[in-house]
Amino acid sequence: MSDQLRPRASLRTAVVWEVLKDALDRQVKAAGRDALDVLDTGGGTGNFAVPAARLGHRVTVVDPSPNALFALERRAAEAGVADRVRGVQGDILGLFDVVERDGFDAVLCHGVLEYVDEPAEGVRNAVAALHPSGALSLLAAGLGGAVLARALAGHFTEARHALTDPAGRWGEGDPVPRRFTAEQLSELVSGAGLEVGAVHGVRVFADLVPGVLVDTEPGAVDALLKLEAAVAELPAFHSVATQLHVLGEKRP
């Protein structure tokens, strides 16, 4: 089954994919080429790399996990795009040990900044990998979504702790090392020399709706997808999104 037909996968990625696809289309027009060179840092098993390759783009995935890269290779082969997807073991802080600077039309940095010691350095490396007019797609865990989720689960002390913790963690058992606000992510992008093109809230409702409703109610998945798309660009909902997406563009 394709990614687009998996309800859970669609709820997790639909908003980001639509923004990313539009950005790639703009890059195609600006570059005057049908195929772009795309770098996916922390791309894992290819949730975005394989769909991008299906559009005809050449994608390099940098990930520290050999198992993820093996799964990526298998997934790309099953999708018929093995010749357009290349996996390389590495991480964003050592990015230029494995890829070249200024070599890519677009860079994806999804689910990476939460886990690196120096998020600002990670963003600077991602930007340095771009061509002079490239685009950066940045996706990271949102602080507000975690606070809301803990509160709705009845963990009020943990919710309040996340608000005051410098890393946005709710406690020692929190599996996410760091979370961000939309303002913090935008500052990282602009501080690295990019113009912030758009900010989106991702999974505003999807993680709060009971799974049994989504899975069994006729039309629920499509309706929820449309709702997520409708609120994604509204700043009022950024503060409660599970993830935040920032699109940055490098001007020549």
Side-chain angles (χ1 to χ4, degrees), residues 55-137:
L55 296 178
H57 304 306
R58 297 176 293 270
V59 187
T60 299
V61 175
V62 175
D63 196 279
S65 169
N67 290 337
L69 293 174
F70 177 78
L72 167 71
E73 182 179 354
R74 183 176 58 203
R75 188 175 188 175
E78 290 173 352
V81 294
D83 59 328
R84 293 195 293 273
V85 176
R86 178 173 71 105
V88 182
Q89 190 172 0
D91 60 57
I92 197 165
L93 296 185
L95 189 60
F96 300 115
D97 294 333
V98 294
V99 301
E100 66 274 19
R101 293 177 183 269
D102 307 317
F104 299 91
D105 300 288
V107 173
L108 283 56
C109 184
H110 296 170
V112 173
L113 296 188
E114 299 95 318
Y115 300 97
V116 299
D117 293 333
E118 298 292 339
E121 182 182 348
V123 175
R124 287 194 297 269
N125 282 353
V127 172
L130 286 170
H131 287 327
S133 58
L136 170 68
S137 175

Side-chain angles (χ1 to χ4, degrees), residues 25-238:
D25 288 344
R26 290 196 301 273
Q27 289 296 112
V28 164
K29 292 177 182 177
R33 292 179 281 112
D34 291 335
L36 302 176
D37 291 303
V38 178
L39 173 64
D40 190 353
T41 64
T45 61
N47 284 340
F48 289 93
V50 169
R54 284 198 191 108
L55 296 178
H57 304 306
R58 297 176 293 270
V59 187
T60 299
V61 175
V62 175
D63 196 279
S65 169
N67 290 337
L69 293 174
F70 177 78
L72 167 71
E73 182 179 354
R74 183 176 58 203
R75 188 175 188 175
E78 290 173 352
V81 294
D83 59 328
R84 293 195 293 273
V85 176
R86 178 173 71 105
V88 182
Q89 190 172 0
D91 60 57
I92 197 165
L93 296 185
L95 189 60
F96 300 115
D97 294 333
V98 294
V99 301
E100 66 274 19
R101 293 177 183 269
D102 307 317
F104 299 91
D105 300 288
V107 173
L108 283 56
C109 184
H110 296 170
V112 173
L113 296 188
E114 299 95 318
Y115 300 97
V116 299
D117 293 333
E118 298 292 339
E121 182 182 348
V123 175
R124 287 194 297 269
N125 282 353
V127 172
L130 286 170
H131 287 327
S133 58
L136 170 68
S137 175
L138 183 64
L139 180 69
L143 171 62
V147 173
L148 182 61
R150 300 316 288 174
L152 290 177
H155 303 299
F156 307 121
T157 300
E158 292 178 351
R160 185 165 59 85
H161 186 277
L163 278 174
T164 58
D165 183 73
R169 304 184 75 229
W170 47 256
E172 290 298 321
D174 193 335
V176 179
R178 185 179 292 102
R179 294 184 178 88
F180 302 87
T181 65
E183 292 76 18
Q184 288 171 332
L185 286 180
S186 295
E187 288 173 4
L188 287 173
V189 170
S190 60
L194 297 188
E195 292 185 15
V196 176
V199 180
H200 295 85
V202 180
R203 288 156 57 190
V204 175
F205 302 108
D207 292 347
L208 303 177
V209 176
V212 64
L213 173 62
V214 177
D215 294 334
T216 61
E217 187 72 18
V221 171
D222 287 340
L224 183 52
L225 283 170
K226 290 176 181 176
L227 178 61
E228 290 280 354
V231 303
E233 291 192 63
L234 300 178
F237 291 92
H238 295 168

